[in-house]
Amino acid sequence: MRYFVYDVFTDTPFGGNQLAIIPDAGDLTDAQMQTIAREFNFSETSFVLPPKDPGHTARVRYFTPARELPFAGHPTIGTAVMMADENGIEDMVLELGVGPLSCRAAEGCASFFTEHPLEVKGHPAAELVAHAMGCEIGNLRSVPVLASLGGDFVYAQLDNRETLSKLCPDIEAMREGAALYPGNHDFAVYPYVLEGNTVHARMFAPLDGIPEDPATGSAAAPLAALLCKTLGRRVEITVHQGDDMGRPSRIALTADQDRVTVTGKAVKVMEGTLFL
């Protein structure tokens, strides 16, 4: 069985977020998909299957090393670029766990937009969130928010880039947060620093098998929607993520009242054969 590895949200090999893609996964069982995702041990592995609706391009399933996700950003960008690279498809509709998603890809760059309404699901205690991230409560610049556009993330604005770079998550506090705020991610935390139209961010989801993620489109999109709601205007931002991991990633986002558009590049760095 063929596989590809793409680095996503970068145009430079060995940067961005790694993504394994199985382009012909129609014969795999759920258990096999989960086992393959554990074998690659990337934050996500993408499995491409025939669509249920003949008018759509493909059905795609995303697995972390620990579980299946209904939606994820960097696998969507990477899978769309792969399909453009391999099949010459530029405009496509992918069937995901959150429903059909329209994408466009060409020349190593892809975009998708979501009109899923922003859900604010709670406000975890600032002390708990600070403890989970490994900083002081005084480093927070806003009330933490649990929000979602399909994937649940805890957002915490920090005081400066130095604080962000020094974060060291506490797994027990993460477990406490997951018990208090159950969701489709286990208390995945997205701390960020806002500097004009630039956002510096990190993402920690150790309970989902992702100690730190170098690029998280499914977390960046709700942040753009939150900023749009808070500021009361259209927002155009670029998220810098992965810098503290040595895998710089760039995610371009535009958010208005009705939709969020996510854009990024991806580059193929590996391909081969998987033996089952």
Side-chain angles (χ1 to χ4, degrees):
M1 181 168 288
R2 290 190 306 158
Y3 74 86
F4 302 114
V5 174
Y6 274 71
D7 288 340
V8 184
F9 289 122
T10 181
D11 59 0
T12 304
F14 313 118
N17 200 350
Q18 298 160 293
L19 173 70
I21 306 172
I22 310 301
D24 302 296
D27 294 331
L28 294 176
T29 66
D30 290 6
Q32 286 175 316
M33 292 183 195
Q34 186 64 75
T35 298
I36 290 168
R38 282 199 299 269
E39 179 70 15
F40 279 109
N41 203 34
F42 297 154
S43 56
E44 281 99 18
T45 297
S46 172
F47 297 88
V48 182
L49 302 93
K52 292 183 177 180
D53 185 327
H56 295 162
T57 310
R59 183 161 67 102
V60 187
R61 299 176 67 181
Y62 303 140
F63 284 78
T64 76
R67 65 192 296 184
E68 183 174 7
L69 301 178
F71 171 70
H74 99 272
T76 301
I77 294 292
T79 301
V81 170
M82 182 278 293
M83 297 187 74
D85 287 349
E86 294 296 309
N87 305 314
I89 302 172
E90 293 191 354
D91 293 292
M92 62 195 80
V93 177
L94 304 180
E95 296 174 355
L96 306 180
V98 294
L101 190 71
S102 296
C103 304
R104 180 172 177 79
E107 299 180 349
C109 185
S111 295
F112 68 84
F113 68 85
T114 174
E115 295 179 336
H116 192 288
L118 176 68
E119 299 178 79
V120 175
K121 297 186 173 182
H123 294 275
E127 184 176 3
L128 171 62
V129 175
H131 190 189
M133 293 187 299
C135 69
E136 301 296 327
I137 192 170
N139 295 126
L140 299 182
R141 285 295 174 266
S142 64
V143 176
V145 179
L146 175 61
S148 175
L149 283 177
D152 301 340
F153 294 90
V154 178
Y155 296 90
Q157 184 177 0
L158 300 181
D159 50 358
N160 58 57
R161 182 75 181 81
E162 182 180 3
T163 298
L164 183 70
S165 67
K166 291 182 178 179
L167 294 179
C168 185
D170 183 282
I171 193 71
E172 292 305 320
M174 291 280 190
R175 290 194 178 100
E176 181 182 350
L180 291 171
Y181 299 93
N184 53 29
H185 289 298
D186 291 317
F187 209 68
V189 180
Y190 197 77
Y192 69 94
V193 174
L194 181 61
E195 298 177 348
N197 293 329
T198 299
V199 173
H200 296 277
R202 300 176 73 181
M203 200 288 283
F204 305 107
L207 301 183
D208 287 329
I210 308 170
E212 182 171 358
D213 200 28
T216 319
S218 57
L223 176 61
L226 277 170
L227 293 175
C228 177
K229 180 179 179 180
T230 301
L231 299 173
R233 60 172 174 81
R234 177 184 174 89
V235 169
E236 295 183 9
I237 59 174
T238 300
V239 172
H240 294 230
Q241 192 179 333
D243 293 353
D244 294 296
M245 301 176 65
R247 300 193 66 92
S249 306
R250 303 293 180 260
I251 309 171
L253 301 112
T254 302
D256 56 31
Q257 186 176 359
D258 300 318
R259 68 166 60 178
V260 178
T261 301
V262 180
T263 301
K265 297 180 179 181
V267 57
K268 183 167 66 174
V269 296
M270 200 182 306
E271 62 180 288
T273 303
L274 184 67
F275 297 97
L276 300 178

